[in-house]
Structure formats: structure tokens, C-alpha cells
Amino acid sequence: QVHLVESGGGLVQDGDSLRLSCAASGRTLSTAAMAWFRQAPGKGREFVAGISWSGGNTKHADSVKGRFTIFRDNAKSTVYLQMNSLKPEDTAVYYCAAKYTSARGYVSPSSSSYDYWGQGTQVTVSS
């Protein structure tokens, strides 16, 4: 069993940056594909970015390409989401998710693919 804890959220202004972290305990993330999802009030959960356990394959949603970057440090069992040029429409609760797999290049944009989830961290971008 792995326990995921997100941190780094907060209230920022349009154009600011934030870095979210997702730290794991109970089990290493070194063989887990990881992803960030977000959910805004009244909306469904949306894929933001994903990364394979090797770190060699990443995917970013079109809405965040060029602004957000997912990366990981397996030695620290932590995955990050660097968010630059934040916009009010980025306001949401951000969740990290993990899926253990033997496929080193595996990344999925589907929330149903992931087995473990954190509790979420709120990101609010004011205009």
C-alpha cells in the first residue's frame, strides 16, 4: 500500500508560478506511473500531466502544454508539477495518482487507470 500526500498549493495571482509535490510513503514510487489530475467546482476530474516510472515518457494536457511540467525524483519518491503562467481557469483541487506497472514507458490520461490517489491540494488563481 502507498500513501500519497500532495503539497504546494495556495492562492496566487494570474501569471504566477507554483510547484506542487506529491510524496509517497509506505512503498517506493520507482515502479509507479504517476499523474496529476485536477477538479474544478462543478466539473469532472481532468487529466493534467503524467509521467512514466522511468521518467522517459511524459504527457501534458493541451490546456497546460508549455506552462506546466511534470517531473519526478525516484530517490525521494516524489513527483512534482511545476506550474508557470497560471491562469484563473487553472483553479482547482489538484490530485496526484499512482499506478504500479512493469511497463517503463506507461503513461495514461485516464483516471480509471490509477490505483492510488492523494487527498488533493487546492490551487486558486485570482485575476
Side-chain angles (χ1 to χ4, degrees):
Q1 193 79 350
V2 63
H3 182 57
L4 303 175
V5 178
E6 302 96 335
S7 61
L11 172 63
V12 296
Q13 294 188 330
D14 193 350
D16 283 352
S17 297
L18 278 176
R19 178 177 291 184
L20 304 184
S21 299
C22 173
S25 61
R27 187 177 178 183
T28 178
L29 291 181
S30 60
T31 57
M34 300 295 297
W36 287 95
F37 290 81
R38 66 186 181 187
Q39 189 164 16
K43 295 188 177 181
R45 195 162 291 189
E46 174 191 22
F47 172 77
V48 177
I51 186 167
S52 61
W53 61 254
S54 68
N57 190 18
T58 62
K59 294 185 189 298
H60 295 79
D62 288 343
S63 59
V64 307
K65 276 181 183 176
R67 300 188 299 121
F68 293 10
T69 303
I70 187 171
F71 60 101
R72 64 191 298 159
D73 184 339
N74 284 346
K76 295 183 178 180
S77 279
T78 302
V79 176
Y80 304 91
L81 185 67
Q82 178 65 42
M83 306 187 295
N84 298 330
S85 303
L86 282 160
K87 305 175 182 180
E89 50 263 44
D90 295 318
T91 294
V93 177
Y94 284 71
Y95 300 90
C96 68
K99 176 181 177 60
Y100 287 89
T101 175
S102 59
R104 64 183 293 121
Y106 180 92
V107 177
S108 174
S110 173
S111 61
S112 62
S113 299
Y114 295 87
D115 303 309
Y116 301 97
W117 292 81
Q119 83 291 345
T121 186
Q122 176 71 48
V123 172
T124 303
V125 185
S126 64
S127 56

